[in-house]
């Protein structure tokens, strides 16, 4: 768990210190488009992101909760998980939008979806680090291990249901 957090912190520090990163960060926290915020598309995408990242309805939280004591505070635990997840995503957003500013990408001119932000900005931030090959290996190995870990969590939900 420590390596993904450390990677995001390192990438965020590098991204916000790049030239023109301030423009991207201003897009992230300082520019509000009322027309888009009033529409349903952006809210559907935000809801799907949070449900996907938390894994609502996939059963692994029920499986993990079955290992808790009978009187554990499940509501408190779920609130902590939800806020920790959202805080981590907000911090990671500074890394992505720092690179957006450095690359000079502008919403509306380029399609800035989740795929673009994840698979363009993070590798660009890693390429800007000293010893980029080391950081790239560590980053993509971390992504691979997080995928395997997520697969085990999904499997745990199914196994707990069956047994």
């Amino acid at each position: 768990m420590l390596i993904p957090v450390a990677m995001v912190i390192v990438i965020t520090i590098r991204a916000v210190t790049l030239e023109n990163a301030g423009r991207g960060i201003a897009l992230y926290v300082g520019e509000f488009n009322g027309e888009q915020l009033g529409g349903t598309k952006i809210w559907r995408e935000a809801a799907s992101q949070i449900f996907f990242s938390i894994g609502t309805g996939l059963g692994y939280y029920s499986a993990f909760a079955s290992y808790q004591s009978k009187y554990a505070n499940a509501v408190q635990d779920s609130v902590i998980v939800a806020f920790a997840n959202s805080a981590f995503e907000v911090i990671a957003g500074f890394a992505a939008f720092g690179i957006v500013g450095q690359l000079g990408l502008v919403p509306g001119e380029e399609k800035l979806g989740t795929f673009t932000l994840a698979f363009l900005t993070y590798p660009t931030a890693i390429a800007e680090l000293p010893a980029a090959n080391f950081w790239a290996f560590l980053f993509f190995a971390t992504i691979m291990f997080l995928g395997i870990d997520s697969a085990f969590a999904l499997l745990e939900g199914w196994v707990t249901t069956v047994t």
Side-chain angles (χ1 to χ4, degrees):
M1 179 67 182
L2 186 59
I3 292 177
V5 173
M7 286 295 302
V8 167
I9 290 170
V10 166
I11 292 171
T12 302
I13 290 170
R14 180 58 182 148
V16 300
T17 58
L18 290 171
E19 186 178 340
N20 297 324
R23 286 188 289 163
I25 293 170
L27 284 172
Y28 184 50
V29 295
E31 184 174 305
F32 298 99
N33 186 335
E35 185 177 306
Q36 283 189 344
L37 289 174
T40 60
K41 182 178 187 276
I42 196 165
W43 292 105
R44 282 184 286 137
E45 289 178 1
S48 67
Q49 169 61 30
I50 195 70
F51 285 135
F52 176 76
S53 65
I54 289 182
T56 304
L58 297 177
Y60 50 83
Y61 283 121
S62 299
F64 295 153
S66 71
Y67 298 115
Q68 293 285 342
S69 68
K70 184 175 183 177
Y71 298 103
N73 191 342
V75 173
Q76 176 186 348
D77 292 346
S78 63
V79 169
I80 289 170
V81 167
F83 278 110
N85 178 61
S86 295
F88 189 78
E89 290 176 350
V90 167
I91 292 168
F94 280 100
F97 278 91
I99 297 296
V100 165
Q102 192 254 349
L103 294 175
L105 301 174
V106 178
E109 295 176 14
E110 294 92 2
K111 185 171 182 337
L112 292 178
T114 55
F115 183 82
T116 304
L117 289 178
F119 294 104
L120 174 68
T121 59
Y122 285 109
T124 302
I126 291 168
E128 296 290 331
L129 287 168
N133 289 338
F134 166 76
W135 290 107
F137 173 78
L138 189 61
F139 178 75
F140 290 108
T142 301
I143 295 293
M144 181 186 72
F145 287 124
L146 286 173
I148 292 169
D149 185 52
S150 295
F152 277 110
L154 289 170
L155 183 64
E156 184 72 26
W158 183 79
V159 168
T160 303
T161 303
V162 171
T163 58

